[in-house]
Amino acid sequence: MARLDPVTLELVWTRLISAVDEAAKAIVRTSFSTLSNEANDFACVLTDASGRSLAQNTGSIPSFIGTLPGTVRAVREAIPPETMRPGDVFITNNPWIGTGHLNDISIVRPVFHGGAIVGYAATTSHVPDIGGRIRSTEAREIFEEGFHIPPMRLMRDGVADATLLTLLRTNIRTPDQTEGDVWAQVGAVTLIEDRVQRTMESYRLTDLAAVADEIFNRSEAEMRRRIAALPAGRWRYAMQTDGLDQPFTFVVEISIADGEVTADYAGTSPQQPRAVNCVLAYTKAMTAFALKALLLPEVPNNEGIFRPIHVRAPEGSILNPRWPAPVGGRAATGHYVPVLIFGALAEALPDKVRAAPGSPLWIMNIAGTDPAGRSFANVFFFNGGTGAGAAQDGVDCISWPSNISATPIEVAERTAPVLIHHKRLRPGTGGTGRQRGGNGQETLMECEADNVAAVFVTERLRFGAPGLFGGEAGAPGQVLLDGAPVDTRRQQTLSRGTRVTIATPGGGGYG
């Protein structure tokens, strides 16, 4: 096919991005759980026929930038494309080919045009429950963490697999919410296919190959130019985090040469017999996000941007665990990856990097039976302060590097037996410096049911967020039950009247 002129290329690509953005809005409007319609914990993507990322929704979770196209490719490997038919929809939540834990369900639909597959529409969404130990970090292997779905058909010729849905509903605490979220995803990929077909008809395209190649090549060339503008060499950064009985050590060495970047995590702590391990797909995705944010933030995400980026992590490390390692709390580990990248490149890009955030992401998972006798499982997000930059203070109570939204008080109280007494800033918790870190936040929540299981995913309880260029560390966070500190690595049991205080950390200062 002839090379597309720049105007047509821009029009087609804009329409494809609009298609995935529209699909994202459909998920928000039709999903059953607050994880999608309030917290934004999902993503939509369109790939070419080879599974290379062509368009992603603009509000996508950063970690899904790299993981979801990889899921599409894994589905193509497991199920030969020549056996796929119009109306087929595929499903998986395998952590090693997905987003890193079982709670994220991925849906893939081949996009047909003229009788051939021209691309794939895909979504990933964090469902409220997948069975198992409610994302407990106490799990010793993945088999304890929930219902595992290998790459398989959810729908064949437009007809759902009733056996799979029955098994799924039987093994989870929130069958209506989880299944409802799955169907919201199916609706989204169906919408993407329709919009892509209309776009191709409007521009008389027989496939997306020319569009994809042009976008990939232009984006790759620009990314290589940005990398080449950096001083060649190697930069290293290391830090310690809370860990378990002993702190974890994270190390990265970034090499820049010939328009390419390699991030090597050799020296990082080994994988753990607890659910804090982060699969390589997630590590790669977070590395790619951080480098793109620093070097080429203005270009929409696509395969070409990430071609010059290479990632290595020792097999058997906490950033590349071997199957069947437990991985349910991988966010607490993987969200440190951009912090490492920023720390390593601080000398090369002092005006662009930021100090470490107060909380990569804090999560409270609760499950049980409410006073009306109904089973429930809910996930609440809490954000600390971001790190300061060269010209700006850190922001209070904002999620970074993810863009997860905190659960609104009214929604939390409507969907779970909890009463939130207050949510307020923690003044002075941001690290001092020429620019101060963002402040953390304190939330006081009271349980209104008995025998409620609670699991926390937290970081920065022992080590505050480090500053940059002489800036001070942010204040650590804390979790209290009825005023007493608790071990957040272990499941807790709440009773009616138990008060939970969640105080998120502040971000590091700069200068």
Side-chain angles (χ1 to χ4, degrees), residues 71 74-79 89-98 102 104-108 130 142-143 146-155 161 164 167-168 323:
T71 304
V75 168
R76 292 180 73 253
E77 291 177 6
I79 303 163
V89 176
F90 304 94
I91 185 172
T92 185
N93 68 343
N94 179 299
W96 271 259
I97 64 173
L102 294 173
D104 290 335
I105 292 180
S106 296
I107 299 292
V108 177
I130 200 66
I142 195 172
F143 306 110
F147 187 73
H148 182 192
I149 308 169
M152 62 183 295
R153 280 180 171 82
L154 171 63
M155 301 179 71
D161 186 330
L164 171 60
L167 287 170
L168 176 64
W323 173 274

Side-chain angles (χ1 to χ4, degrees), residues 197-208:
Q197 290 170 341
R198 293 189 186 190
T199 299
M200 295 180 69
E201 289 168 1
S202 296
Y203 291 92
R204 297 182 176 87
L205 300 174
T206 57
D207 57 42
L208 295 174

Side-chain angles (χ1 to χ4, degrees), residues 18-226:
S18 295
V20 290
D21 280 342
E22 185 180 358
K25 289 182 171 61
I27 286 180
V28 171
R29 291 170 179 165
T30 61
S31 61
F32 280 42
S33 77
T34 60
L35 287 161
S36 292
N37 57 40
E38 293 287 350
N40 190 52
D41 199 353
F42 72 94
C44 302
V45 69
L46 171 68
T47 76
D48 68 359
S50 299
R52 299 175 298 178
S53 176
L54 183 55
Q56 283 193 310
N57 70 297
T58 50
S60 171
I61 298 297
S63 57
F64 298 161
I65 288 171
T67 60
L68 193 46
T71 304
V72 172
R73 293 190 290 271
V75 168
R76 292 180 73 253
E77 291 177 6
I79 303 163
E82 60 268 21
T83 68
M84 299 178 182
R85 299 291 179 266
D88 286 357
V89 176
F90 304 94
I91 185 172
T92 185
N93 68 343
N94 179 299
W96 271 259
I97 64 173
T99 68
H101 67 170
L102 294 173
N103 296 76
D104 290 335
I105 292 180
S106 296
I107 299 292
V108 177
R109 181 182 184 117
V111 176
F112 282 85
H113 183 68
I117 296 175
V118 296
Y120 294 87
T123 63
T124 288
S125 183
H126 187 156
V127 296
D129 185 69
I130 200 66
R133 303 185 63 166
I134 62 166
R135 210 179 176 188
S136 171
T137 54
E138 293 181 279
R140 300 290 171 163
E141 55 183 5
I142 195 172
F143 306 110
E144 301 177 42
E145 296 188 306
F147 187 73
H148 182 192
I149 308 169
M152 62 183 295
R153 280 180 171 82
L154 171 63
M155 301 179 71
R156 184 187 296 272
D157 296 327
V159 179
D161 186 330
T163 301
L164 171 60
L165 292 174
T166 299
L167 287 170
L168 176 64
R169 291 179 62 90
T170 302
N171 281 277
I172 58 180
R173 300 171 182 85
T174 57
D176 291 340
Q177 285 189 45
T178 297
E179 186 184 354
D181 283 3
V182 168
W183 287 118
Q185 290 180 259
V186 172
V189 294
T190 303
L191 186 152
I192 291 173
E193 181 180 36
D194 175 75
R195 299 300 187 264
V196 171
Q197 290 170 341
R198 293 189 186 190
T199 299
M200 295 180 69
E201 289 168 1
S202 296
Y203 291 92
R204 297 182 176 87
L205 300 174
T206 57
D207 57 42
L208 295 174
V211 175
D213 288 343
E214 194 69 19
I215 290 170
F216 297 160
N217 292 338
R218 288 175 180 235
S219 299
E220 179 183 1
E222 183 58 28
M223 187 61 164
R224 289 184 180 276
R225 279 194 289 271
R226 300 289 176 96

Side-chain angles (χ1 to χ4, degrees), residues 9-28:
L9 179 67
E10 178 69 17
L11 290 171
V12 172
W13 196 23
T14 299
R15 284 189 61 170
L16 296 179
I17 294 172
S18 295
V20 290
D21 280 342
E22 185 180 358
K25 289 182 171 61
I27 286 180
V28 171

Side-chain angles (χ1 to χ4, degrees), residues 388 428-438 467-475 507-511:
T429 52
T432 58
R434 189 172 72 245
Q435 307 292 341
R436 69 160 184 82
L468 275 180
F469 300 113
E472 296 293 327
Y510 185 106

Side-chain angles (χ1 to χ4, degrees), residues 248 250 276-278 282 318-319 329-337 459:
F248 294 153
F250 288 87
V276 294
N277 301 292
C278 176
Y282 196 93
I318 199 172
L319 291 176
R330 58 94 171 98
T333 298
H335 282 188
Y336 280 126
V337 168
E459 282 293 329

Side-chain angles (χ1 to χ4, degrees), residues 450-472:
D450 289 313
N451 197 32
V452 173
V455 173
F456 302 90
V457 178
T458 62
E459 282 293 329
R460 306 255 191 245
L461 298 178
R462 297 171 63 183
F463 296 91
L468 275 180
F469 300 113
E472 296 293 327

